[in-house]
Amino acid sequence: MDRRPTWAPEDVDVERPSIARVYDYYLGGSHNFAVDRAFADRVLRLMPGTTTAAQANRAFLRRAVRHLCEIGIRQFIDLGSGIPTAGNVHEVAHSVDPTTKVVYVDIDPVAYAHSRAILADDPHTTVIRADLRQPAEVLADPQLREQIDFDRPVGVLLVSVLHFVSNEERPADIVAGYASATAPGSHLVISHASVEGTTEASSEALDLYKRSSANVVTRTAKEVAGLVSGLSLVDPGVVQLTQWRPESPDETTSWEEIPVLAAVARRE
Ligand code: SAM
């Protein structure tokens, strides 16, 4: 069994891999335990592209946030924000306008504690620990409401997280719960594990997730479009995430390496 390091909150489960800590390990972070690394290494043996996919996912998040800043958005809610890593939403947004408001939301105790630790002195950012599957509760949070003005457009991020929401949990209704609370001109940013690129090895990796960490539901581009059906898709629509407004022409397009879709949608 792993010992609980000093940076880990007391209610953390060090014997079961967590989505947030495993993802931190893929990104080369240090807020993970032996149980997370062992789990991640099993996934990586089956899907060696996972670290590339995680980096590409972060790069997409940064491109999307920059785009929203360029069109004038000055407040963001990052749902399932994860353990902070380089190039967080507030860093990208504050490079454009240091007064941009950012609210990070995550259910994971380590993601929450570490985010609070690094953001304690930033008056324009807030961290809340909450379940994104409960939009009404998240949106009623007093700390969130202190930062976010719902009469102005907001960027809502659901990056690499909706595939942890099962069909029974009605992900489209959850997304609509956030979208309907926001002003016209607000945008939703989504990246999502794709059905494309499914191989025997990737199915085995998803099975590992199901048994040890969390169920992952891969979806088609049409299904991802369906999650934002009340909104207008921003060009280029639902695409493989490296193809969402790439900054360099040689971004990899291999579905096997990066089986992830991305989309940005606007509330009219
Ligand atoms: N959004 C970040 C990114 O794309 O780099 C982190 C993605 S990580 C794969 C998924 C994150 O979503 C984890 O930090 C996990 O704790 C969080 N998460 C999963 N289910 C959640 C839920 N129901 N409510 C809030 N956070 C959740």
Side-chain angles (χ1 to χ4, degrees), residues 46-47 194-195 197-211 215-216 218 259:
L46 292 162
M47 295 180 73
S194 167
V195 167
T198 303
T199 59
E200 214 172 291
S202 69
S203 304
E204 247 183 84
L206 293 186
D207 260 5
L208 279 182
Y209 263 94
K210 197 183 213 163
R211 280 186 272 122
N215 203 2
V216 178
T218 56

Side-chain angles (χ1 to χ4, degrees), residues 110-174:
V110 172
Y112 172 71
H114 190 44
S115 304
R116 290 217 14 140
I118 64 163
L119 295 169
D121 297 330
D122 186 335
H124 302 297
T125 64
T126 297
V127 189
I128 61 175
R129 186 172 170 198
D131 186 339
L132 67 87
R133 291 168 297 183
Q134 308 295 336
E137 276 173 36
V138 172
L139 294 169
D141 186 283
Q143 290 186 77
L144 180 144
R145 297 203 83 88
E146 221 173 87
Q147 293 286 14
I148 304 293
D149 174 357
F150 283 95
D151 292 330
R152 289 174 38 229
V154 51
V156 178
L157 275 62
L158 284 154
V159 178
S160 193
V161 72
L162 283 174
H163 44 245
F164 299 115
V165 178
S166 68
N167 288 336
E168 292 68 41
E169 293 171 312
R170 308 179 75 89
D173 290 353
I174 294 172

Side-chain angles (χ1 to χ4, degrees), residues 19-20 23 57-58 61 78 80-82 106-108 130-133 159-161 164:
I19 298 169
Y23 182 70
N57 182 59
R58 292 301 302 178
L61 175 145
D78 186 359
S81 48
D106 206 287
I107 202 168
D108 182 274
D131 186 339
L132 67 87
R133 291 168 297 183
V159 178
S160 193
V161 72
F164 299 115

Side-chain angles (χ1 to χ4, degrees), residues 7 19-33 36-37 40-41 44 50-56 58 62 83-86 114:
W7 50 258
I19 298 169
R21 299 189 319 248
V22 167
Y23 182 70
D24 175 70
Y25 178 66
Y26 293 149
L27 287 172
S30 55
H31 288 79
N32 46 71
F33 305 136
D36 306 308
R37 296 188 285 275
D41 286 337
L44 287 169
T50 303
T51 48
T52 310
Q55 297 287 359
R58 292 301 302 178
R62 291 192 290 269
I83 294 170
T85 177
H114 190 44

Side-chain angles (χ1 to χ4, degrees), residues 50-96:
T50 303
T51 48
T52 310
Q55 297 287 359
N57 182 59
R58 292 301 302 178
F60 159 71
L61 175 145
R62 291 192 290 269
R63 291 199 299 283
V65 170
R66 217 171 296 123
H67 169 72
L68 298 191
C69 290
E70 278 162 11
I71 62 170
I73 291 187
R74 292 292 179 269
Q75 38 180 11
F76 291 88
I77 304 174
D78 186 359
L79 298 161
S81 48
I83 294 170
T85 177
N88 288 300
V89 175
H90 72 284
E91 290 166 322
V92 178
H94 289 175
S95 71
V96 177

